[in-house]
RNA sequence: GGCCCCGUCGUCUAGAGGCCUAGGACGCCGCCCUCUCAAGGCGGUAGCGUGGGUUCAAAUCCCAUCGGGGCUACCA
């Protein structure tokens, strides 16, 4: 089914409304692209006021001039952006209009490490990358950052792919489907990383390091005591001559990047604004391990450069590593990318969301009966708002309106209650065919057999009734189950509350009498007959109908009674009521 | 400890000095509808962390403070 068609209830077609409250001339944090023109820099020195921090932004510190305007096309500045049909499924694919200006489309990547299952936080990062790419007509690339051999597994890799597909976040290029840039799996590219590392060493930008963990610990401890920066600055390394000697004798060494000090790296993060990191606080970090494999910093940066990534949208946990990546990028002679660091997802206790908060794996949500549309919608809202006080929006609508620069900087607490509510909204919005396709297997599993043609027809009749009543898919099975199984036991609480009371037998006897010769057997005639019955026996609707409900469904919670009886059929209905009646005496 | 990020109802958020008596959504509570449970309708609860400033006016600007989080690996 088209994942975009699930929900269509809110957000009638309209456009331009997002501009409503923001005057077009209001300054934004990101400079117009004239700044690319270095010739005017000195006399123009455009600086604008950051709306978040009030800080002045100087053009000189801005990232990647060549790339500066790519994301700006998403902004409210665009005078009018016609809303595209929700059915255009390949909307993401190159809209020439949107890449005007720089003449290049944004390329973003989602680069999980297969060291764990796809969890909700990673899924949100993937989603934001996807929304950004589609909104800009750019490319969404999937890469596997599997440089941690010890912890990476094929099982995790498959889980990530599987659930990305399930969510409908189709990638244009990358892992499994390939693309124009070779392998998208880092473990295939070790030679390339070594080559870069060697080049860096040759050019003096990196060096072989023999410092041991113990030495480094001592260094940091002393720095702390002395009140100086604990960032390793290479001061423990032997002389050049000794390095050559030890290397020649076959001694293993790591390769560290030589961070230029003093100095600082500044960049303008799309979500967090101006950032500045003093190099004194940045370690001479390891880029190549002693076994010759690359670390994350190297592999990730090299790939971002090699694959012409323009925007890196990732979790805030990598924010303080960003200067390392920028330094590496520039040491490679490449233009830096634009960064956007997303706040982290938290558990109800305010700590970073993790396993100890319960299930965080996408697989678990899928199994629990969540719809991908609901997950996407909910995850998108964690840190971003659609606008106009709207809460429900399809993927297409979110693509239309997505704007990275309005993403919240606050960490967001994941609230399962709201997700559940939203899932109910999406379930109610499913059309019946979709709904049957999604729930029939669950019903069959619950019933313990494959449903016959006839059973399926009866299920179809029940569908409109149960579809309104479920927040999670499996609830449907427990509500529909009574149609297909014998009632050999009754819910204990239900029995004692409505059956084993004075009105129980009265209602059942009355129902038998009223229904025995009823013709025709329809919801309307059943309704009329049973209402006449309770009237006659002086029973309230509750007292009169609940015993019947328990008799036919086994529980005092079920789909609406008269409809259920019609679908069940007269014979089965009467048999069940009689069985319950005799169990009562 | 150091560096960095973040503080509006319980939660996600709107908010760009007067449109704020702070809006929406989830949750919770109540009422209506009602054969149960939902859904739906209506109403309610609840928030600008604190203290100073600037200003005729501050959720919004400044400073401090407190609180939460991240990083500080030959993990990513």
């Amino acid at each position: 089914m088209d994942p975009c068609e699930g929900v269509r209830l809110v957000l009638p077609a309209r456009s331009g409304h997002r501009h409503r409250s923001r005057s077009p001339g209001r300054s934004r944090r990101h400079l117009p692209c004239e700044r690319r023109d270095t010739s005017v820099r000195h006399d123009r020195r455009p600086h604008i006021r950051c709306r978040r921090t009030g800080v002045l932004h100087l053009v000189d510190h801005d990232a990647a001039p060549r790339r500066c305007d790519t994301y700006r096309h998403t902004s409210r500045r665009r005078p009018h952006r016609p809303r595209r049909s929700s059915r255009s499924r390949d909307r993401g694919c190159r809209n020439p209009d949107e890449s005007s200006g720089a003449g290049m489309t944004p390329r973003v990547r989602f680069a999980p490490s297969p060291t764990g299952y796809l969890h909700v936080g990673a899924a949100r990062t993937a989603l934001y990358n996807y929304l950004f790419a589609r909104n800009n007509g750019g490319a969404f690339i999937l890469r596997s950052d599997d440089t941690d051999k010890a912890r990476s597994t094929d099982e995790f890799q498959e889980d990530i792919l599987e659930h990305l597909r399930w969510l409908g976040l189709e990638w244009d290029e990358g892992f499994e489907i390939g693309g124009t840039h070779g392998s998208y799996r880092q473990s295939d590219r070790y030679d390339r990383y070594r080559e870069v590392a060697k080049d860096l060493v040759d050019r003096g930008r990196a060096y072989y390091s023999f410092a041991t963990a113990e030495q480094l610990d001592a260094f940091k401890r002393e720095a702390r005591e002395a009140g100086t920066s604990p960032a390793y600055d290479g001061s423990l390394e032997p002389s050049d001559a000794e390095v050559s000697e030890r290397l020649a004798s076959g001694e293993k060494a790591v390769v560290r990047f030589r961070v230029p000090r003093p100095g600082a790296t500044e960049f303008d993060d799309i979500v967090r604004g101006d950032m500045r990191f003093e190099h004194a606080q940045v370690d001479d970090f390891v880029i190549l391990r002693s076994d010759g494999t690359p670390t994350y910093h190297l592999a990730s940066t090299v790939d971002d450069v090699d694959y012409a990534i323009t925007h890196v949208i990732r979790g805030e946990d990598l924010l303080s590593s960003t200067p390392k990546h920028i330094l590496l990028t520039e040491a490679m002679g490449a233009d830096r990318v634009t960064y956007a660091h997303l706040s982290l997802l938290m558990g109800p206790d305010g700590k970073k969301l993790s396993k100890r908060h319960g299930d965080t794996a996408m697989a678990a949500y899928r199994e629990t009966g969540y719809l991908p549309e609901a997950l996407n919608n909910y995850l998108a809202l964690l840190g971003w708002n659609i606008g106009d006080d709207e809460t429900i929006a399809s993927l297409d609508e979110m693509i239309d309106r997505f704007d990275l620069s309005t993403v919240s900087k606050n960490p967001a607490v994941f609230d399962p209650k709201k997700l559940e509510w939203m899932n109910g909204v999406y379930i109610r919005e499913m059309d019946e065919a979709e709904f049957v396709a999604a729930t029939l297997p669950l019903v069959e599993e619950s019933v313990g057999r494959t449903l016959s043609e006839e059973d399926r027809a009866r299920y179809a009749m029940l569908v409109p009734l149960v579809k309104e009543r479920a927040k999670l898919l499996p609830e449907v099975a427990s509500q529909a189950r009574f149609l297909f199984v014998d009632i050999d036991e009754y819910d204990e609480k239900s029995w004692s509350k409505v059956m084993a009371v004075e009105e129980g037998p009265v209602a059942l006897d009355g129902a038998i009498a009223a229904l025995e010769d009823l013709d025709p057997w329809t919801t309307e005639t059943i309704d009329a007959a049973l209402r006449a019955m309770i009237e006659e026996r002086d029973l309230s609707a509750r007292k009169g109908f609940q015993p019947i409900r328990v008799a036919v469904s086994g529980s005092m919670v079920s789909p609406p009674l008269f409809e259920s009886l019609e679908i069940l059929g007269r014979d089965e209905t009467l048999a069940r009521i009689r069985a319950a009646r005799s169990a009562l005496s």
Side-chain angles (χ1 to χ4, degrees):
Chain A
M1 86 185 171
D2 184 337
C4 305
E5 289 184 280
V7 163
R8 206 96 306 265
L9 67 172
V10 192
L11 306 179
R14 64 189 152 183
S15 54
H17 57 282
R18 67 201 308 225
H19 304 261
R20 97 215 110 111
S21 64
R22 312 209 180 204
S23 53
R26 192 174 290 168
S27 26
R28 308 195 77 242
R29 292 181 302 133
H30 300 288
L31 300 170
C33 274
E34 298 89 45
R35 64 183 162 174
R36 274 185 292 161
D37 183 352
T38 49
S39 66
V40 300
R41 270 194 189 180
H42 298 294
D43 22 277
R44 291 268 299 274
R45 266 192 96 86
H47 51 253
I48 63 170
R49 198 158 189 204
C50 170
R51 94 175 204 250
R52 292 182 206 269
T53 63
V55 163
L56 291 181
H57 291 233
L58 301 181
V59 69
D60 305 6
H61 299 152
D62 237 82
R66 176 164 78 75
R67 290 163 166 152
C68 69
D69 67 339
T70 40
Y71 55 82
R72 291 187 49 255
H73 291 280
T74 70
S75 82
R76 299 180 174 86
R77 234 171 235 217
R78 178 160 32 208
H80 180 72
R81 184 173 217 255
R83 196 170 166 286
R84 284 174 264 184
S85 156
S86 64
R87 286 175 187 274
S88 62
R89 313 185 58 158
D90 59 342
R91 62 183 325 142
C93 300
R94 308 299 114 73
N95 180 340
D97 291 338
E98 299 183 39
S99 59
S100 60
M104 68 188 289
T105 54
R107 290 170 58 81
V108 299
R109 56 24 172 221
F110 174 57
S113 303
T115 55
Y117 301 106
L118 184 73
H119 58 91
V120 290
R124 185 183 67 144
T125 301
L127 176 64
Y128 278 38
N129 272 279
Y130 176 85
L131 291 175
F132 178 80
R134 293 290 175 265
N135 175 277
N136 288 285
F140 175 52
I141 295 155
L142 179 67
R143 195 170 79 202
S144 180
D145 280 13
D146 59 345
T147 52
D148 184 346
K149 293 177 299 188
R151 296 194 303 147
S152 296
T153 72
D154 289 344
E155 187 195 353
F156 290 143
Q157 185 65 67
E158 189 42 53
D159 181 87
I160 291 167
L161 262 20
E162 168 72 16
H163 292 98
L164 246 20
R165 284 189 214 103
W166 179 68
L167 288 168
L169 307 182
E170 292 169 19
W171 52 101
D172 306 306
E173 204 179 295
F175 195 75
E176 276 208 329
I177 64 172
T180 52
H181 292 268
S183 171
Y184 292 79
R185 186 194 338 234
Q186 295 190 328
S187 53
D188 293 340
R189 290 171 39 83
Y190 285 170
D191 288 345
R192 168 63 180 149
Y193 308 132
R194 285 187 199 111
E195 175 189 34
V196 172
K198 180 173 187 307
D199 179 58
L200 258 17
V201 171
D202 290 347
R203 289 164 39 223
R205 303 300 305 270
Y207 59 90
Y208 289 101
S209 166
F210 295 93
T212 63
E214 295 70 35
Q215 288 176 299
L216 258 15
D217 281 350
F219 176 90
K220 285 171 196 292
R221 200 173 335 112
E222 285 161 23
R224 181 178 302 192
E225 282 160 13
T228 57
S229 169
Y232 181 55
D233 59 0
S235 57
L236 266 27
E237 303 303 331
S239 67
D240 288 356
E242 191 184 333
V243 169
S244 315
E245 200 175 296
R246 288 167 72 171
L247 248 21
S249 73
E251 190 174 336
K252 296 275 190 214
V254 299
V255 175
R256 287 181 188 275
F257 186 82
R258 195 187 306 280
V259 174
R261 298 186 195 81
T265 291
E266 301 189 334
F267 60 99
D268 188 5
D269 188 287
I270 301 179
V271 346
R272 320 204 83 86
D274 270 357
M275 303 296 326
R276 175 187 171 91
F277 289 87
E278 293 292 337
H279 292 352
Q281 301 296 335
V282 180
D283 276 299
D284 275 5
F285 54 102
V286 174
I287 59 176
L288 215 55
R289 302 185 185 107
S290 53
D291 66 357
T293 61
T295 60
Y296 167 78
H297 302 301
L298 211 221
S300 174
T301 304
V302 170
D303 281 4
D304 288 343
V305 168
D306 285 357
Y307 296 180
I309 298 302
T310 61
H311 296 72
V312 168
I313 304 165
R314 49 150 58 158
E316 192 193 338
D317 50 344
L318 263 356
L319 184 58
S320 44
S321 296
T322 304
K324 297 175 182 171
H325 303 159
I326 290 175
L327 253 11
L328 260 177
T329 302
E330 293 180 340
M332 288 175 70
D335 286 341
R336 51 168 84 173
V337 304
T338 300
Y339 292 91
H341 286 93
L342 274 18
S343 61
L344 268 13
L345 254 33
M346 306 297 201
D349 59 354
K351 306 283 183 199
K352 187 175 164 182
L353 194 65
S354 69
K355 279 78 27 194
R356 61 200 178 76
H357 296 111
D359 280 321
T360 56
M362 260 304 131
Y365 287 89
R366 184 184 186 175
E367 279 159 26
T368 308
Y370 286 97
L371 266 19
E373 295 83 350
L375 253 339
N376 282 332
N377 194 159
Y378 179 70
L379 256 16
L381 251 35
L382 249 26
W384 177 65
N385 74 92
I386 302 161
D388 281 356
D389 288 339
E390 305 277 11
T391 304
I392 303 293
S394 69
L395 209 49
D396 274 353
E397 282 153 339
M398 295 194 289
I399 288 169
D400 267 348
R401 302 202 195 181
F402 191 68
D403 183 350
L404 254 191
S405 71
T406 65
V407 166
S408 170
K409 293 190 279 191
N410 307 6
V413 174
F414 186 86
D415 178 12
K417 273 293 199 8
K418 189 162 185 174
L419 206 211
E420 200 171 281
W421 162 78
M422 196 171 276
N423 204 56
V425 171
Y426 278 86
I427 287 179
R428 289 192 292 280
E429 284 303 311
M430 289 170 98
D431 68 42
E432 295 193 4
E434 281 177 332
F435 182 83
V436 169
T439 56
L440 190 61
L442 298 171
V443 174
E444 291 182 330
E445 187 189 347
S446 169
V447 170
R449 63 181 158 84
T450 304
L451 260 38
S452 66
E453 199 70 32
E454 190 190 335
D455 282 343
R456 286 215 292 270
R458 292 203 294 160
Y459 180 54
M461 293 172 73
L462 191 71
V463 159
L465 271 23
V466 293
K467 194 158 75 77
E468 308 302 314
R469 299 179 151 67
K471 283 198 165 83
L472 263 17
L473 257 14
E475 291 171 9
V476 172
S478 49
Q479 288 178 33
R481 189 170 190 277
F482 80 96
L483 265 187
F484 311 110
V485 298
D486 294 332
I487 307 298
D488 40 23
E489 58 184 37
Y490 302 89
D491 172 64
E492 204 174 298
K493 197 171 150 204
S494 299
W495 185 267
S496 58
K497 195 161 179 192
V498 310
M499 283 294 217
V501 294
E502 197 183 328
E503 296 87 352
V506 180
L508 295 186
D509 287 338
I512 293 167
L515 301 176
E516 231 165 10
D517 299 311
L518 187 65
D519 185 63
W521 182 261
T522 68
T523 296
E524 292 70 29
T525 58
I526 294 166
D527 186 331
L530 290 180
R531 283 188 197 283
M533 180 279 284
I534 59 170
E535 179 100 8
E536 191 179 297
R537 311 213 170 202
D538 201 26
L539 295 170
S540 66
R542 186 186 220 90
K543 292 285 188 186
F545 297 152
Q546 283 298 73
I548 304 173
R549 184 189 309 282
V550 174
V552 301
S553 76
S555 158
M556 56 185 187
V557 177
S558 85
L561 186 60
F562 312 131
E563 288 86 345
S564 297
L565 298 190
E566 181 191 349
I567 298 168
L568 242 197
R570 182 190 353 240
D571 293 348
E572 185 62 23
T573 296
L574 286 167
R576 290 185 185 191
I577 296 175
R578 289 192 172 108
R581 181 63 184 90
S582 56
L584 258 184
S585 13

